[in-house]
Amino acid sequence: MNSALQEWLSCAPTPLALKADQRWHVFISYRSVNRYWVLELYDILRQLGYSVFLDQYVLSAAAPLALTLGEELDASASAVLVWSGEYEDSEWCKSEFNYLEGREKKRTGFRYVIAKLDQTRLPGFAEEKIFVDFSERREGPGGSDILRMLHGLAGKPLPEKAVKLAAEVDEEVKQARIKIKAARLDGDVNRLLELAQSEHLAWVNSPMLQCAVVESLIGLKRNDTALQLATKLCEQFPKTARPRQLQGLAESRMGNWKSAQTILGDLYMAGEIDPETLGIYARTWMDRFNATGDRRYLLKSRDLYRQAFETAPDDYYTGVNAATKTLLLDEIETASQIAQRVEALVGGKAIANDYWKTATVAEVQLLQKNYTKAAQLYEAAVVVAPEDVGSHTSTYNQAVLILSHLKADTEDQSTVLRAFSHLTHSANA
């Protein structure tokens, strides 16, 4: 256990004595795709003195599964329901949720907490339940979140020491985010790298801030430096998806689509189907299409973007890419329908301090052949982040593809692309 986690857990509640009919302090309900995260939770609870029911450690191969799980739930003082997008697909897990909810409502002292591992929305039957958000801690439970979960199970508020420690970390996160954004806006790579050297608890207990630095470096087209830092983060947090997503994106931006596709393909086959993973994976197939001209790869790219957008219909980035790839496949009516859905999300005006959303608004207008308005919006996007030449290059290359496919005349092409005249035009976005 690392020192940062130990510091947090010094504030953890001790387990209460079990009643005569209880065998477990905590029952863990989960789906197998989240097993590694669950094993981390199991180890932490055990080290704190909790008796924990985890099926792979307790159930025998010959035991009737449904009967045994029911018995062990009845013998548990509390439970943690580990939730992710994959959990919702499991009818068995839904059944366990209903059972946990029923037990808690009986007011016998039983409590359960939802540990939410990704950005997937809780479904209707669970949306009123309070949850602990671990989406930034896919490598395993940690920080103030693990304390909130443990005190939630005990029905107690966080102790003063934990509240002070959480406030200190939260303030560091707030200030660090401001500094990262300022350094990115200024194009100050050295400051970004200096920030990444911090040993503050907020930086070492989660990859969140380090990933923000990597993302900034990619935006500034310092892909080689970003790749080095992302690779280091993958070693430090091997079970977290975000560093690997950024590792793949950096490879892709450097033109290494094969390496990028390997990284993102592994994530995809491991069950990571969030919009970010699907979007970057789709990009690698588009890169492959650009390298080979093979239409199969364009189809694959479009289908992945479309999958992401249908799964998360408020994700405008995958939506606009789905529309563009559909246009490139000459499915004009469908492309227009998707573009209109995206326009309903982002509107028709520039978004203050948001490069990608403003660039998306511009691309939607371009898809609809509103060339003058698209040009104005692209210029507004560039002004939002004037040093983000990596982002500009990616946007420029997409605009070139759309203009070519729409057979825009020379004057319209010149009008739209004027916003990117500062770029050294490169095929590697």
Side-chain angles (χ1 to χ4, degrees):
M1 188 184 298
N2 64 47
S3 58
L5 183 56
Q6 287 178 331
E7 187 171 355
W8 282 113
L9 294 182
S10 66
C11 304
T14 55
L16 299 175
L18 292 172
K19 298 177 181 178
D21 60 345
Q22 294 176 336
R23 289 191 293 274
W24 313 105
H25 291 107
V26 183
F27 180 103
I28 302 179
S29 174
Y30 70 106
R31 195 168 180 194
S32 58
V33 70
N34 301 129
R35 176 170 283 119
Y36 292 114
W37 194 94
V38 168
L39 292 175
E40 292 283 341
L41 174 61
Y42 177 87
D43 288 342
I44 290 171
L45 293 174
R46 292 286 294 163
Q47 289 182 53
L48 289 171
Y50 289 79
S51 58
V52 184
F53 176 84
L54 188 64
D55 55 5
Q56 73 177 67
Y57 288 145
V58 179
L59 297 185
S60 68
L65 184 61
L67 178 61
T68 304
L69 286 177
E71 290 175 348
E72 302 303 343
L73 267 170
D74 287 338
S76 300
S78 65
V80 175
L81 188 156
V82 180
W83 185 279
S84 68
E86 292 82 5
Y87 190 105
E88 186 177 359
D89 293 335
S90 168
E91 289 299 325
W92 179 260
C93 292
K94 288 180 184 178
S95 176
E96 282 193 13
F97 171 85
N98 291 332
Y99 185 86
L100 295 175
E101 187 71 8
R103 277 206 64 191
E104 187 171 73
K105 287 181 178 179
K106 289 180 180 179
R107 303 187 182 278
T108 59
F110 177 88
R111 294 183 180 87
Y112 80 99
V113 172
I114 295 178
K116 192 164 171 284
L117 301 194
D118 59 23
Q119 297 297 331
T120 306
R121 293 178 181 175
L122 294 176
F125 60 81
E127 62 184 4
E128 295 184 3
K129 181 68 180 177
I130 295 175
F131 63 87
V132 181
D133 187 0
F134 287 98
S135 60
E136 295 288 351
R137 301 185 185 277
R138 296 294 297 279
E139 76 283 355
S144 59
D145 300 320
I146 184 71
L147 293 185
R148 291 188 181 97
M149 186 189 76
L150 291 172
H151 282 85
L153 291 176
K156 298 178 180 178
L158 285 175
E160 184 178 354
K161 179 182 177 182
V163 171
K164 288 182 178 179
L165 187 58
E168 178 189 335
V169 172
D170 289 345
E171 180 62 23
E172 172 64 17
V173 170
K174 177 182 175 182
Q175 293 302 319
R177 282 175 166 164
I178 291 172
K179 292 173 183 177
I180 292 168
K181 288 179 180 178
R184 179 173 181 172
L185 180 61
D186 296 341
D188 193 338
V189 173
N190 289 332
R191 189 183 184 198
L192 285 169
L193 295 177
E194 288 172 6
L195 289 168
Q197 297 301 313
S198 174
E199 295 184 1
H200 191 281
L201 189 60
W203 287 82
V204 301
N205 197 44
S206 165
M208 176 180 60
L209 293 174
Q210 296 274 6
C211 284
V213 170
V214 174
E215 191 172 351
S216 297
L217 291 169
I218 292 173
L220 297 174
K221 210 172 184 178
R222 292 297 297 269
N223 298 310
D224 52 349
T225 307
L227 180 59
Q228 292 174 12
L229 183 52
T231 301
K232 181 180 177 182
L233 284 175
C234 289
E235 295 170 355
Q236 293 175 334
F237 302 95
K239 297 162 191 170
T240 305
R242 187 58 179 159
R244 284 187 285 168
Q245 291 171 346
L246 293 172
Q247 185 186 36
L249 181 58
E251 290 277 18
S252 180
R253 290 282 184 95
M254 293 170 70
N256 303 327
W257 66 261
K258 290 183 180 179
S259 298
Q261 195 161 84
T262 297
I263 294 167
L264 272 301
D266 286 350
L267 282 173
Y268 180 71
M269 295 310 297
E272 299 287 349
I273 55 172
D274 59 281
E276 193 73 19
T277 297
L278 289 172
I280 303 173
Y281 190 35
R283 180 209 161 95
T284 69
W285 285 99
M286 187 64 190
D287 291 341
R288 190 168 180 174
F289 166 72
N290 289 333
T292 65
D294 192 322
R295 188 172 183 272
R296 293 175 300 164
Y297 306 144
L298 176 57
L299 280 165
K300 183 64 175 178
S301 177
R302 189 279 305 273
D303 287 353
L304 286 166
Y305 279 125
R306 190 73 185 269
Q307 178 186 355
F309 189 43
E310 297 305 330
T311 302
D314 58 348
D315 191 81
Y316 59 84
Y317 178 77
T318 56
V320 76
N321 275 283
T324 295
K325 274 52 177 181
T326 302
L327 173 72
L328 298 179
L329 288 162
D330 293 316
E331 298 175 18
I332 310 300
E333 184 176 347
T334 303
S336 177
Q337 291 171 353
I338 300 173
Q340 289 170 17
R341 287 173 58 192
V342 177
E343 186 174 24
L345 292 173
V346 299
K349 298 179 180 179
I351 311 299
N353 300 318
D354 194 324
Y355 173 83
W356 282 112
K357 198 166 188 178
T358 301
T360 298
V361 178
E363 189 167 325
V364 167
Q365 296 304 315
L366 182 57
L367 287 166
Q368 298 176 80
K369 298 185 180 181
N370 298 326
Y371 298 125
T372 301
K373 189 172 183 179
Q376 295 169 347
L377 288 162
Y378 278 131
E379 185 171 35
V382 170
V383 171
V384 167
E387 295 296 325
D388 258 38
V389 290
S391 303
H392 303 166
T393 307
S394 182
T395 306
Y396 166 82
N397 287 343
Q398 184 99 317
V400 168
L401 281 173
I402 296 170
L403 287 164
S404 175
H405 205 79
L406 292 176
K407 296 181 171 58
D409 62 33
T410 302
E411 183 178 352
D412 286 332
Q413 290 190 43
S414 178
T415 298
V416 171
L417 300 178
R418 188 177 299 126
F420 306 104
S421 59
H422 59 291
L423 296 177
T424 299
H425 297 157
S426 169
N428 294 330

